[in-house]
Amino acid sequence: MKLFTAILSFLLFAVIIAVPPLLLSKSSHAAWLDPHFWMIFAFITGLTFLTIISILIVTKINKEIYAQTFLGATMIKLLTCMFFCLFFLVKIKVNGVIFIANFFYVYFFNLAFEIYGLLRTLRNQKLK
């Protein structure tokens, strides 16, 4: 994936996954969202953006280490998200079930976008 294409795809993706919680917050089911949902969303989405950009920059420098960069960046993202959850649950009083559901909604969709980027990049290499 090219850098500009990746940024546009990511922005479109971020808007798409932000729409259901936005609609939910405006409906009568607003209690299903954690009061700090948008902070969680911004943190994980920003971390995913940094991960994707760093992977693409390293790929431009050396294509042979793409897989290692992807795995390393994903692992760092996973550990950072775990520490974020730990800090969040210890410092802020939240409903655990709602927080975990909101967190995994954002985390797994962002992970799916990363994997989509990986598959798209690997498919493009296969065609060349």
Side-chain angles (χ1 to χ4, degrees), residues 8-101:
L8 285 179
S9 298
F10 183 78
L11 290 175
L12 178 64
F13 159 78
V15 168
I16 289 171
I17 68 166
V19 168
L22 185 63
L23 294 175
L24 192 62
S25 69
K26 304 293 182 192
S27 73
S28 61
H29 302 292
W32 290 1
L33 283 181
D34 189 76
H36 304 93
F37 175 79
W38 295 110
M39 183 172 65
I40 298 166
F41 180 83
F43 179 78
I44 295 174
T45 304
L47 198 57
T48 301
F49 180 73
L50 291 174
T51 301
I52 289 171
I53 295 302
S54 65
I55 290 170
L56 290 173
I57 289 172
V58 169
T59 303
K60 293 270 186 208
I61 296 169
N62 187 355
K63 291 186 186 238
E64 277 81 43
I65 60 171
Y66 177 79
Q68 293 88 345
T69 305
F70 178 82
L71 290 173
T74 303
M75 205 59 190
I76 290 170
K77 178 185 167 200
L78 174 68
L79 291 172
T80 305
C81 286
M82 280 187 196
F83 284 120
F84 176 77
C85 275
L86 178 66
F87 176 78
F88 203 85
L89 291 173
V90 168
K91 296 290 182 185
I92 300 173
K93 205 59 143 166
V94 294
N95 180 344
V97 175
I98 298 291
F99 172 77
I100 295 299

